[in-house]
């Protein structure tokens, strides 16, 4: 993939000073694990859409710690191992202060001589992906992640991307493989106390409903599906999670860009140019923001947290300025009248907790 510049989802003005103490935390499911309400998504440390240096990665994580973030999420897929290396290096001396999750389902194998990457990551490590949700594959994946990060343990582990977008017609076979193999491995590790929580991470709420009914999970990472622009999990997933005591990590609160950049030219929605209807709806949300003096970023970050099943909102950060801005937006007071107008205008669902 050719290198391309991906617009930062955060504005450039200097944010307010970061808080001196950790952000508030919430419990994950029925475990004893608490995560900060703002989570650090480490995909940008792997160079998603643009390359960043080791020094930038180190400074970004350092700013997250200084800003009170204590939950960090990573995956082997991010930069094909690069994000795990960088997060491990940046957190190693403060690992005990943080909650760290990684993901399983993709093993990394050395790229064959002469082969080229087909990935959204710029300057990734020289590996390629092999999907494997089996018992042995998941155990191998965790060991590999331990070595890449230098961490002896992870607090939370997610089965990653068991959905049609990534697996196509193979999704049913992989679902069975995950439940009969990978889930069994994670459950053993949980019962042995080697991980504190297990879950599934996808951008498909219907698939999470299937997993919730098939096994006993502590938390799900749902990307881009409970935001100011979409609230479909209110129909089935969130009620089921409340019933089963499963928490949600609401990832990608900006829908990959537009809810941070606003409806400007080239704004992204699920990693492609936003369609006309999404652009128009975002403009209407921005108008309500302006009326009430609420930054769009603050509304996007805080919206999901108003649902009791959501433990944390996790978003990707690629610079210290982005982290500081995100932390500052968490402290913005949003008046009830703002949410009321969004509901009255049909811009968010009337049954969304606000």
């Amino acid at each position: 993939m050719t290198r391309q510049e991906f617009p930062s989802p955060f504005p450039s003005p200097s944010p307010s000073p970061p808080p001196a103490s950790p952000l508030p935390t919430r419990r994950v499911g029925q475990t004893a694990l608490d995560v900060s309400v703002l989570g650090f998504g480490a995909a940008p440390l792997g160079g998603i859409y643009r390359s960043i240096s080791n020094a930038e990665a180190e400074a970004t994580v350092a700013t997250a710690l200084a800003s009170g973030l204590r939950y960090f999420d990573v995956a082997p897929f991010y930069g094909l191992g690069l994000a795990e290396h960088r997060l491990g290096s940046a957190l190693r001396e403060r690992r005990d202060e943080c909650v760290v999750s990684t993901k399983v389902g993709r093993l990394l194998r050395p790229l064959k001589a002469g082969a080229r990457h087909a990935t959204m990551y710029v300057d990734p490590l020289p590996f390629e992906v092999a999907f494997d949700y089996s018992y042995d594959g998941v155990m191998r994946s965790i060991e590999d992640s331990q070595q890449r990060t230098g961490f002896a343990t992870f607090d939370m582990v997610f089965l990653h991307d068991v959905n049609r977008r990534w697996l196509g017609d193979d999704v049913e076979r992989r679902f069975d493989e995950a439940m009969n193999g990978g889930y069994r491995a994670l459950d053993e590790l949980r019962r042995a106390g080697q991980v504190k929580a297990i879950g599934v991470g996808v951008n498909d709420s219907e698939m999470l409903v299937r997993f919730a009914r098939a096994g006993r999970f502590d938390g799900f990472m749902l990307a881009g599906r409970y935001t100011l622009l979409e609230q479909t999990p209110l129909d089935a997933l969130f009620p089921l999670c409340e019933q089963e005591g499963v928490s949600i990590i609401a990832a990608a609160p900006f829908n990959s860009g537009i809810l941070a950049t606003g409806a400007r030219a080239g704004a992204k929605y699920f990693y492609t140019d936003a369609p006309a209807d999404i652009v128009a709806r975002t403009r209407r949300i921005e108008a309500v923001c302006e009326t009430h003096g609420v930054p769009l970023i603050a509304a996007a970050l805080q919206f999901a947290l108003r649902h009791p099943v959501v433990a944390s909102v996790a978003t990707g950060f690629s610079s210290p300025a982005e982290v500081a801005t995100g932390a500052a937006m968490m402290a913005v007071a949003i008046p009830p009248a703002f949410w009321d107008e969004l509901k009255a205008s049909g811009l968010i669902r009337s049954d969304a907790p606000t």
Side-chain angles (χ1 to χ4, degrees):
M1 181 175 181
T2 58
R3 177 170 176 161
Q4 57 180 310
E5 291 302 319
F6 187 68
S8 168
F10 294 92
S12 56
S14 298
S16 302
S21 59
L23 291 166
T25 61
R26 293 184 182 179
R27 185 63 48 92
V28 175
Q30 301 175 61
T31 73
L33 191 65
D34 295 320
V35 292
S36 56
V37 292
L38 180 61
F40 185 106
L45 300 188
I48 188 168
Y49 294 113
R50 75 174 186 90
S51 179
I52 70 171
S53 68
N54 289 333
E56 286 178 292
E58 189 91 16
T60 301
V61 174
T63 302
L65 290 167
S67 299
L69 280 74
R70 293 295 183 270
Y71 171 48
F72 295 82
D73 175 71
V74 71
F77 183 52
Y78 302 158
L80 303 180
L82 182 58
E84 286 189 321
H85 276 290
R86 285 172 162 170
L87 185 66
S89 176
L91 280 186
R92 195 160 300 128
E93 294 182 2
R94 299 182 64 177
R95 170 67 182 90
D96 292 343
E97 301 175 34
C98 304
V99 171
V100 180
S101 59
T102 193
K103 304 183 181 74
V104 293
R106 289 179 175 92
L107 293 175
L108 302 183
R109 296 175 178 171
L111 198 63
K112 296 177 182 178
R116 301 187 65 180
H117 282 111
T119 176
M120 67 183 73
Y121 293 94
V122 178
D123 301 328
L125 295 184
F127 294 90
E128 60 185 356
V129 166
F131 283 99
D132 191 336
Y133 298 96
S134 69
Y135 179 98
D136 290 342
V138 163
M139 289 297 198
R140 167 68 183 276
S141 181
I142 292 172
E143 291 177 357
D144 289 350
S145 291
Q146 288 170 328
Q147 293 187 28
R148 282 190 291 266
T149 59
F151 299 156
T153 61
F154 294 99
D155 300 291
M156 188 159 37
V157 180
F158 297 105
L159 293 163
H160 197 197
D161 286 339
V162 188
N163 61 0
R164 187 167 296 277
R165 176 194 172 194
W166 290 103
L167 302 173
D169 292 338
D170 202 29
V171 66
E172 293 300 327
R173 183 179 73 84
R174 292 296 190 179
F175 178 85
D176 291 341
E177 180 183 55
M179 287 308 305
N180 294 326
Y183 169 75
R184 185 163 54 89
L186 294 182
D187 188 41
E188 284 184 12
L189 293 173
R190 176 175 58 183
R191 286 188 282 110
Q194 296 180 42
V195 298
K196 298 181 178 71
I198 66 173
V200 182
V202 294
N203 66 355
D204 183 336
S205 60
E206 292 182 3
M207 185 60 74
L208 290 182
V209 169
R210 291 185 60 184
F211 274 109
R213 290 172 173 162
R216 186 176 70 84
F217 294 95
D218 303 298
F220 293 142
M221 177 168 282
L222 178 62
R225 296 300 180 186
Y226 192 65
T227 72
L228 290 175
L229 291 171
E230 181 175 347
Q231 297 99 49
T232 52
L234 291 171
D235 294 328
L237 177 62
F238 283 10
L240 182 59
C241 286
E242 288 185 286
Q243 176 183 324
E244 299 296 328
V246 179
S247 288
I248 294 291
I249 308 296
F254 305 125
N255 282 119
S256 83
I258 193 166
L259 286 175
T261 63
R264 70 185 192 189
K268 302 298 180 183
Y269 179 74
F270 282 105
Y271 304 102
T272 62
D273 288 345
D277 62 322
I278 293 296
V279 171
R281 189 173 171 194
T282 302
R283 285 202 180 105
R284 293 179 63 199
I285 293 173
E286 287 183 277
V288 178
C289 286
E290 185 174 355
T291 296
H292 294 274
V294 174
L296 178 62
I297 290 178
L301 285 175
Q302 294 187 34
F303 169 71
L305 287 167
R306 292 174 181 266
H307 197 291
V309 81
V310 175
S312 180
V313 172
T315 186
F317 296 108
S318 62
S319 72
E322 289 184 1
V323 175
T325 297
M329 292 297 101
M330 295 296 289
V332 171
I334 300 179
F338 169 77
W339 305 111
D340 292 344
E341 184 169 346
L342 288 181
K343 288 183 176 182
S345 302
L347 293 170
I348 61 173
R349 283 176 47 161
S350 61
D351 57 343
T354 56

